[in-house]
Amino acid sequence: MARLPSLFLPHGAPDLLLTNHVSKDFLGTLGSRIGRPAAILIVSAHWEAAQPTLTTAEAPETVHDFFGFPDALYRIRYPARTASDLVDWVDGLLTGQGIEVRKDSSRGFDHGTWVPLSLVYPEADIPVVQLSLVRGGTARQHFEIGRALAPLRDRDVLIVGSGSVTHNLRELGPEGTKPPAWATAFDDWVSLAVECADWDSLLRFPDDPKTGRRAHPTPEHFLPFYVAAGAGAPERGTKLHRSFSHGSISMSAYAFGGALAAAA
């Protein structure tokens, strides 16, 4: 059995599932390229906690953590169940590196989890555990969390970071708007560094590059990238997709630590 890569996926705006955006098409074909993992560990930009925290509810609720969208979106459910053995593995790997872990039996799946997974694995029949970001944590801290979790890839666990390579809600435009130069510049910088396995440069975020703080006025949408990258380092990563949504939101996706089958 080939070792699974880790992935960084965009989740876009909550209504991505109701659109015809090209990134939706990309995510819809991705499951067939990955194959069926035994379980999924996902880190979403929409959950930060004082310490790394794991969902432990047997059947986490689908959380609609947004407002002002069409009613159809609030009717969507992603009824994946949890995996207690995966919770134990993650706990053991992180505590083994001196990282204290908490567990949350009431937390459901936020849209950073269920939007992309609804497209990649729409049957919701693969066990899913969500892991929080560390509130106030650095790029390096999340990269090291990913490195600690890398052995999960040998257990047929798919590690996914869900966020955006650029995320500045003050500079959104209508769908189809040409992406601004600062957004494409930051996206290009990430792409080149990933392809060259230039982890030193990537770990200087958000201080470098100069476009970093405009791309991310707050860092939480890019931090899941570092968990996925750490789980696949030191190998170079591979860009799987590039597009932009609402002008400035990068929908770029990456695989780390292994290649995927070509799209059909």
Side-chain angles (χ1 to χ4, degrees), residues 7-9 11 40-48 52-54 90 94 110 112-113 116-117 128-134 142 145-146 149 158-164 220-228:
L7 303 176
F8 177 71
L9 301 180
H11 59 252
I40 299 168
L41 177 69
I42 186 164
V43 181
S44 161
H46 290 277
W47 187 19
E48 298 176 276
T53 306
L54 292 159
V90 173
L94 292 181
D110 59 61
T113 289
L117 292 186
V128 177
V129 172
Q130 187 171 340
L131 173 67
S132 77
L133 296 170
V134 178
H142 287 90
I145 288 172
L149 296 173
L158 181 65
I159 300 171
V160 179
S162 169
S164 303
E220 77 288 335
H221 270 73
F222 198 42
L223 293 178
F225 168 93
Y226 289 98
V227 179

Side-chain angles (χ1 to χ4, degrees), residues 244-264:
F244 284 83
S245 177
H246 294 283
S248 64
I249 297 179
S250 169
M251 302 295 282
S252 290
Y254 290 92
F256 302 95
L260 296 182

Side-chain angles (χ1 to χ4, degrees), residues 2-48:
R3 194 183 197 203
L4 285 171
S6 54
L7 303 176
F8 177 71
L9 301 180
H11 59 252
D15 62 351
L16 178 65
L17 296 176
L18 306 181
T19 72
N20 294 317
H21 197 272
V22 63
S23 62
K24 178 183 174 183
D25 297 335
F26 156 72
L27 290 168
T29 64
L30 189 57
S32 62
R33 297 172 64 188
I34 301 167
R36 181 186 171 87
I40 299 168
L41 177 69
I42 186 164
V43 181
S44 161
H46 290 277
W47 187 19
E48 298 176 276

Side-chain angles (χ1 to χ4, degrees), residues 14-255:
D15 62 351
L16 178 65
L17 296 176
L18 306 181
T19 72
N20 294 317
H21 197 272
V22 63
S23 62
K24 178 183 174 183
D25 297 335
F26 156 72
L27 290 168
T29 64
L30 189 57
S32 62
R33 297 172 64 188
I34 301 167
R36 181 186 171 87
I40 299 168
L41 177 69
I42 186 164
V43 181
S44 161
H46 290 277
W47 187 19
E48 298 176 276
Q51 299 169 219
T53 306
L54 292 159
T55 55
T56 60
E58 184 176 343
E61 295 182 358
T62 303
V63 180
H64 299 85
D65 50 338
F66 45 77
F67 60 90
F69 288 91
D71 289 344
L73 196 59
Y74 298 91
R75 293 194 291 270
I76 294 175
R77 298 291 182 271
Y78 194 76
R81 302 181 75 81
T82 196
S84 58
D85 53 352
L86 178 53
V87 170
D88 291 341
W89 294 341
V90 173
D91 189 356
L93 289 170
L94 292 181
T95 57
Q97 295 299 313
I99 302 170
E100 186 176 351
V101 177
R102 292 183 178 175
K103 298 174 184 178
D104 189 330
S105 61
S106 63
R107 175 81 186 187
F109 295 140
D110 59 61
H111 78 272
T113 289
W114 60 261
V115 166
L117 292 186
S118 292
L119 293 168
V120 181
Y121 293 111
E123 298 301 319
D125 57 353
I126 298 171
V128 177
V129 172
Q130 187 171 340
L131 173 67
S132 77
L133 296 170
V134 178
R135 187 182 300 112
T138 64
R140 184 173 296 278
Q141 186 174 1
H142 287 90
F143 188 81
E144 293 301 328
I145 288 172
R147 292 186 67 178
L149 296 173
L152 293 175
R153 296 170 50 215
D154 294 318
R155 293 179 180 259
D156 200 28
V157 174
L158 181 65
I159 300 171
V160 179
S162 169
S164 303
V165 169
T166 60
H167 189 263
N168 186 332
L169 298 183
R170 295 192 295 269
E171 300 204 39
L172 299 182
E175 193 61 86
T177 301
K178 181 180 178 181
W182 62 263
T184 56
F186 186 81
D187 194 75
D188 288 343
W189 174 79
V190 172
S191 179
L192 179 61
V194 167
E195 292 288 344
C196 296
D198 185 0
W199 307 118
D200 288 341
S201 292
L202 285 164
L203 289 170
R204 289 197 289 269
F205 169 83
D207 296 322
D208 286 321
K210 292 182 179 180
T211 50
R213 293 188 185 275
R214 190 170 184 183
H216 293 278
T218 57
E220 77 288 335
H221 270 73
F222 198 42
L223 293 178
F225 168 93
Y226 289 98
V227 179
E235 297 179 50
R236 61 188 288 274
T238 302
K239 177 173 275 188
L240 302 177
H241 174 80
R242 189 195 200 199
S243 63
F244 284 83
S245 177
H246 294 283
S248 64
I249 297 179
S250 169
M251 302 295 282
S252 290
Y254 290 92

